[in-house]
PDB file of all heavy atoms in Angstrom:
ATOM      1  N   GLN B  33       8.783  13.322   0.258  1.00 97.00           N
ATOM      2  CA  GLN B  33       7.420  13.822   0.066  1.00 97.00           C
ATOM      3  C   GLN B  33       6.485  12.708  -0.405  1.00 97.00           C
ATOM      4  O   GLN B  33       5.333  12.638   0.023  1.00 97.00           O
ATOM      5  CB  GLN B  33       7.413  14.988  -0.933  1.00 97.00           C
ATOM      6  CG  GLN B  33       8.099  16.233  -0.422  1.00 97.00           C
ATOM      7  CD  GLN B  33       7.542  16.694   0.911  1.00 97.00           C
ATOM      8  OE1 GLN B  33       6.340  16.841   1.080  1.00 97.00           O
ATOM      9  NE2 GLN B  33       8.419  16.914   1.874  1.00 97.00           N
ATOM     10  N   ASN B  34       6.982  11.833  -1.271  1.00 96.00           N
ATOM     11  CA  ASN B  34       6.187  10.680  -1.707  1.00 96.00           C
ATOM     12  C   ASN B  34       5.808   9.818  -0.509  1.00 96.00           C
ATOM     13  O   ASN B  34       4.670   9.365  -0.379  1.00 96.00           O
ATOM     14  CB  ASN B  34       6.959   9.833  -2.720  1.00 96.00           C
ATOM     15  CG  ASN B  34       7.035  10.464  -4.085  1.00 96.00           C
ATOM     16  OD1 ASN B  34       6.391  11.472  -4.357  1.00 96.00           O
ATOM     17  ND2 ASN B  34       7.834   9.882  -4.950  1.00 96.00           N
ATOM     18  N   ASN B  35       6.783   9.577   0.361  1.00 96.00           N
ATOM     19  CA  ASN B  35       6.535   8.737   1.533  1.00 96.00           C
ATOM     20  C   ASN B  35       5.528   9.391   2.471  1.00 96.00           C
ATOM     21  O   ASN B  35       4.624   8.728   2.986  1.00 96.00           O
ATOM     22  CB  ASN B  35       7.851   8.451   2.261  1.00 96.00           C
ATOM     23  CG  ASN B  35       7.686   7.393   3.304  1.00 96.00           C
ATOM     24  OD1 ASN B  35       7.453   7.715   4.471  1.00 96.00           O
ATOM     25  ND2 ASN B  35       7.789   6.141   2.906  1.00 96.00           N
ATOM     26  N   LEU B  36       5.649  10.697   2.681  1.00 96.00           N
ATOM     27  CA  LEU B  36       4.705  11.396   3.555  1.00 96.00           C
ATOM     28  C   LEU B  36       3.284  11.367   2.989  1.00 96.00           C
ATOM     29  O   LEU B  36       2.310  11.188   3.725  1.00 96.00           O
ATOM     30  CB  LEU B  36       5.160  12.838   3.772  1.00 96.00           C
ATOM     31  CG  LEU B  36       6.432  13.013   4.618  1.00 96.00           C
ATOM     32  CD1 LEU B  36       6.860  14.471   4.628  1.00 96.00           C
ATOM     33  CD2 LEU B  36       6.232  12.492   6.024  1.00 96.00           C
ATOM     34  N   LYS B  37       3.156  11.533   1.676  1.00 97.00           N
ATOM     35  CA  LYS B  37       1.835  11.486   1.036  1.00 97.00           C
ATOM     36  C   LYS B  37       1.233  10.088   1.158  1.00 97.00           C
ATOM     37  O   LYS B  37       0.032   9.935   1.408  1.00 97.00           O
ATOM     38  CB  LYS B  37       1.955  11.903  -0.436  1.00 97.00           C
ATOM     39  CG  LYS B  37       0.662  11.886  -1.197  1.00 97.00           C
ATOM     40  CD  LYS B  37      -0.284  12.960  -0.718  1.00 97.00           C
ATOM     41  CE  LYS B  37      -1.516  13.001  -1.606  1.00 97.00           C
ATOM     42  NZ  LYS B  37      -2.509  13.932  -1.112  1.00 97.00           N
ATOM     43  N   MET B  38       2.072   9.053   1.008  1.00 96.00           N
ATOM     44  CA  MET B  38       1.584   7.684   1.165  1.00 96.00           C
ATOM     45  C   MET B  38       1.070   7.468   2.584  1.00 96.00           C
ATOM     46  O   MET B  38       0.019   6.869   2.794  1.00 96.00           O
ATOM     47  CB  MET B  38       2.699   6.682   0.841  1.00 96.00           C
ATOM     48  CG  MET B  38       2.334   5.223   1.039  1.00 96.00           C
ATOM     49  SD  MET B  38       2.566   4.563   2.702  1.00 96.00           S
ATOM     50  CE  MET B  38       4.263   4.849   3.001  1.00 96.00           C
ATOM     51  N   LEU B  39       1.799   7.972   3.588  1.00 95.00           N
ATOM     52  CA  LEU B  39       1.366   7.825   4.976  1.00 95.00           C
ATOM     53  C   LEU B  39       0.041   8.558   5.220  1.00 95.00           C
ATOM     54  O   LEU B  39      -0.830   8.063   5.944  1.00 95.00           O
ATOM     55  CB  LEU B  39       2.447   8.341   5.930  1.00 95.00           C
ATOM     56  CG  LEU B  39       3.735   7.510   5.971  1.00 95.00           C
ATOM     57  CD1 LEU B  39       4.789   8.206   6.822  1.00 95.00           C
ATOM     58  CD2 LEU B  39       3.467   6.107   6.471  1.00 95.00           C
ATOM     59  N   GLU B  40      -0.119   9.711   4.584  1.00 97.00           N
ATOM     60  CA  GLU B  40      -1.374  10.471   4.696  1.00 97.00           C
ATOM     61  C   GLU B  40      -2.538   9.691   4.090  1.00 97.00           C
ATOM     62  O   GLU B  40      -3.622   9.593   4.683  1.00 97.00           O
ATOM     63  CB  GLU B  40      -1.186  11.812   3.992  1.00 97.00           C
ATOM     64  CG  GLU B  40      -2.403  12.690   3.953  1.00 97.00           C
ATOM     65  CD  GLU B  40      -2.151  13.935   3.106  1.00 97.00           C
ATOM     66  OE1 GLU B  40      -1.075  14.553   3.237  1.00 97.00           O
ATOM     67  OE2 GLU B  40      -3.046  14.277   2.306  1.00 97.00           O
TER      68      GLU B  40
END
Side-chain angles (χ1 to χ4, degrees):
Q33 292 306 309
N34 285 352
N35 191 266
L36 291 174
K37 180 68 174 175
M38 177 274 302
L39 292 173
E40 177 186 316

